[in-house]
Amino acid sequence: SWRVLLLPYMERKDLYDQYRFDEPWNGPNNSKLADQIKAAYSCPEDHPKQRSQPSTETSFVAIVGDHTPWPGEKAISFADFTDGTANVIIVVEVHHSGIHWMEPRDLHVTQMAATINAQHGQGINSGHRHGAQVGLADGTVRFLQDSIPADVLRGWINLDDGTLPEPAAP
């Protein structure tokens, strides 16, 4: 998972060095690491009663698929962000994702609702009122209102469609 690859940049190189890339994320060695960094990938709003002991379930996932920053096997570069890195979502909040923080699973663009905090189905959602947090490719974090129109949200997700999304609420 990309979440494991970020560990050295989160001052957890010690944990990264213990991870065995030659076994599955839930293999015998890696399972021993499962609960060592829970808070970093868990939004406190996802588990308010467990703030002192967050879940191993991640609150942050990537949107994967064609024309996203995570297209699959194909590597991309900053030059591929023709809409600009400040205009493309790279990571989103998903309330109760059901995904372990080490698991290499994310949200596929074709399987998600094109809205925020949809009542049914997969998609960007949070325990926050009226919207969700998203991380952009330029490193900034934005709060997107759940009233954002579907076509505008799709503009934020697509890295090369030529449309620039409307500004998000700061």
Side-chain angles (χ1 to χ4, degrees):
S1 167
W2 60 270
R3 290 174 289 271
V4 172
L5 296 174
L6 285 181
L7 291 172
Y9 306 100
M10 299 169 61
E11 299 180 7
R12 288 309 309 261
K13 187 168 181 340
D14 61 319
L15 188 55
Y16 177 85
D17 289 342
Q18 294 174 59
Y19 191 87
R20 298 267 315 264
F21 289 94
D22 61 344
E23 76 175 39
W25 70 271
N26 57 353
N29 178 72
N30 293 338
S31 292
K32 297 174 190 171
L33 310 175
D35 65 352
Q36 292 194 32
I37 195 165
K38 300 181 284 196
Y41 290 116
S42 182
C43 176
E45 294 300 320
D46 271 5
H47 309 281
K49 295 180 181 174
Q50 299 172 339
R51 286 187 186 177
S52 62
Q53 188 64 290
S55 168
T56 58
E57 179 180 281
T58 186
S59 301
F60 308 105
V61 301
I63 297 177
V64 300
D66 292 340
H67 303 284
T68 74
W70 309 87
E73 298 295 320
K74 176 188 157 206
I76 65 168
S77 71
F78 282 117
D80 294 311
F81 288 80
T82 58
D83 290 350
T85 57
N87 300 310
V88 178
I89 294 172
I90 196 166
V91 176
V92 300
E93 192 173 7
V94 176
H95 189 60
H96 300 298
S97 71
I99 301 171
H100 188 280
W101 75 267
M102 291 191 305
E103 185 178 356
R105 181 166 56 110
D106 289 284
L107 181 61
H108 200 280
V109 68
T110 61
Q111 297 173 329
M112 62 177 275
T115 187
I116 296 182
N117 291 332
Q119 296 300 314
H120 303 287
Q122 299 180 53
I124 303 168
N125 60 70
S126 75
H128 306 291
R129 293 176 51 137
H130 309 297
Q133 300 287 348
V134 299
L136 303 178
D138 69 351
T140 60
V141 175
R142 299 280 179 111
F143 184 81
L144 295 185
Q145 299 284 333
D146 53 17
S147 59
I148 189 170
D151 60 327
V152 174
L153 181 59
R154 281 191 287 274
W156 278 101
I157 294 168
N158 194 312
L159 65 98
D160 61 0
D161 68 350
T163 63
L164 297 181
E166 295 174 10

